[in-house]
Amino acid sequence: MSNGAESLAYFVFDTEHNHDLLAVEELAQRCGYAVISLDEVANYSDAIKIIFDNGQWRIHLDNSSAIVSVDFSDPRFYTRVNSSALQGEYVVRAVLGRKKTTQPLTVLDATAGFGHDAFLLAAAGCQVTLVEQMPLLAYLLEQAVQRARNSTNNLLLSAAQRMIVESANSVMLMQQWSANRPDVVYLDPMYAHAENETKRGLKKSAAVKKNMAFLQRLTSHKAIDLSRAQAGHNQNCHDELNSEGEGMIEAALALAKRKVVVKRAPGAEWLGGLKPASSLTGKATRFDIYPLS
Ligand SMILES: C[S@@+](CC[C@H](N)C(=O)[O-])C[C@H]1O[C@@H](n2cnc3c(N)ncnc32)[C@H](O)[C@@H]1O
């Protein structure tokens, strides 16, 4: 099934759960990875495996139990949405601000990741467009939004109805934007400081650590792809991944109607060196606010 070429991640074709090999191959190709069969898994112990189980594709980081998925109904995340504390979430406070609006705010989440912040914003009433540059993550987000839309749980369903996922590089997308401008652009580029944060004693949950480890693994792999491509070794590299938010804040400031909100680690430098008008600082995160009107 795999053509022998090395891939960072493999979709696992398992006849019990997947009936259509062609569909799995198409999906794998769309995400830039290869396909292996279930009985080949043991030969790929160091690779990331993407396995379908219990109605969704999940990412197995290695042969341990470290599994990453996008699932808004996961109780560890859902309690944040379901609680009265939603309005107290820093991301909600930073994006909504104090001004009352009659129309729901339109938000472009230009670094969607696992969609958690976007989902909190949608649950708080915003119309959110999620843009994610990693095709695999964008696909898992689309699937998670679709599952939530089919849910019998009204809270999940109504939030998901306010979410649209796009698989793209958001800097390019913002620079070429031709639709209605969003009220708010929200940015949470992957900070290079994740390890330093842990060293500085900033606590992250096990799930957040796993998600970050997965993102860092994919990003560093793609950075290697890119440097090889630049040296002329790999013509089939993926689109450039921009993990440091280069050019992002400028594009966001040019596009947003009301404000740009940037999530950073407390103590991290301002994105693009641009000083915000104000910041909301919590234990593990800081939200820098750039008002435009
Ligand atoms: C720290 S994560 C975001 C986590 C997200 N706020 C959440 O709540 O799950 C950063 C994400 O931004 C994505 N990203 C970084 N630069 C991007 C770009 N230029 N366009 C689209 N996505 C980008 C990365 O691939 C990564 O998935």
Side-chain angles (χ1 to χ4, degrees):
M1 232 165 265
S2 156
N3 60 9
E6 207 185 310
S7 174
L8 172 75
Y10 296 87
F11 276 82
V12 176
F13 180 69
D14 156 15
T15 44
E16 197 186 316
H17 295 106
N18 326 115
H19 304 294
D20 188 349
L21 175 58
L22 211 64
V24 176
E25 282 177 339
E26 268 172 23
L27 174 59
Q29 198 179 20
R30 171 177 159 188
C31 297
Y33 304 126
V35 180
I36 54 172
S37 67
L38 194 58
D39 25 293
E40 288 176 287
V41 163
N43 305 334
Y44 293 85
S45 53
D46 291 336
I48 293 172
K49 266 88 59 187
I50 306 142
I51 301 179
F52 195 85
D53 102 74
N54 230 342
Q56 60 176 290
W57 289 101
R58 292 175 213 268
I59 300 160
H60 294 240
L61 292 185
D62 45 41
N63 281 350
S64 73
S65 56
I67 299 175
V68 166
S69 62
V70 184
D71 184 359
F72 303 122
S73 66
D74 182 330
R76 286 168 301 182
F77 171 68
Y78 182 70
T79 45
R80 291 174 66 191
V81 184
N82 192 23
S83 75
S84 52
L86 178 65
Q87 296 302 328
E89 286 277 350
Y90 280 87
V91 64
V92 172
R93 284 170 53 197
V95 168
L96 264 62
R98 286 207 194 104
K99 262 193 210 156
K100 291 274 171 274
T101 49
T102 43
Q103 294 291 318
L105 281 185
T106 53
V107 179
L108 174 69
D109 180 345
T111 54
F114 292 87
H116 290 154
D117 291 329
F119 199 91
L120 293 172
L121 292 170
C126 303
Q127 295 283 348
V128 190
T129 301
L130 297 81
V131 185
E132 173 52 50
Q133 66 184 348
M134 283 187 203
L136 171 60
L137 209 41
Y139 175 75
L140 297 183
L141 280 168
E142 267 170 38
Q143 296 296 299
V145 169
Q146 201 49 55
R147 282 195 308 278
R149 281 190 189 162
N150 293 334
S151 159
T152 50
N153 174 329
N154 261 341
L155 212 158
L156 284 176
L157 191 152
S158 58
Q161 278 173 339
R162 290 192 280 272
M163 296 167 83
I164 296 173
V165 180
E166 290 208 27
S167 175
N169 180 321
S170 59
V171 177
M172 282 159 69
L173 200 76
M174 288 192 278
Q175 287 166 346
Q176 292 160 8
W177 197 268
S178 59
N180 284 343
R181 289 160 58 206
D183 294 313
V184 182
V185 176
Y186 175 65
L187 308 175
D188 174 15
M190 200 183 310
Y191 14 90
H193 316 282
E195 279 170 28
N196 297 345
E197 286 169 47
T198 320
K199 281 181 204 148
R200 283 182 16 233
L202 294 176
K203 289 206 169 65
K204 292 205 175 295
S205 71
V208 170
K209 277 189 205 147
K210 250 190 313 188
N211 289 357
M212 289 306 291
F214 161 71
L215 286 179
Q216 276 165 351
R217 202 161 150 193
L218 284 198
T219 312
S220 59
H221 180 81
K222 298 219 170 170
I224 293 166
D225 270 3
L226 187 70
S227 58
R228 281 196 197 136
Q230 281 160 347
H233 296 313
N234 179 358
Q235 298 308 314
N236 287 327
C237 85
H238 301 274
D239 287 348
E240 179 170 356
L241 282 170
N242 181 350
S243 62
E244 294 300 317
E246 217 172 283
M248 199 177 260
I249 184 131
E250 292 79 4
L253 288 168
L255 180 67
K257 277 199 282 198
R258 288 173 179 239
K259 64 171 135 174
V260 173
V261 173
V262 182
K263 183 174 178 178
R264 305 296 280 164
E269 69 279 18
W270 299 313
L271 191 59
L274 294 180
K275 187 177 178 191
S278 60
S279 299
L280 272 179
T281 309
K283 269 191 208 142
T285 41
R286 187 186 81 220
F287 291 84
D288 292 340
I289 301 166
Y290 302 81
L292 296 163
S293 59

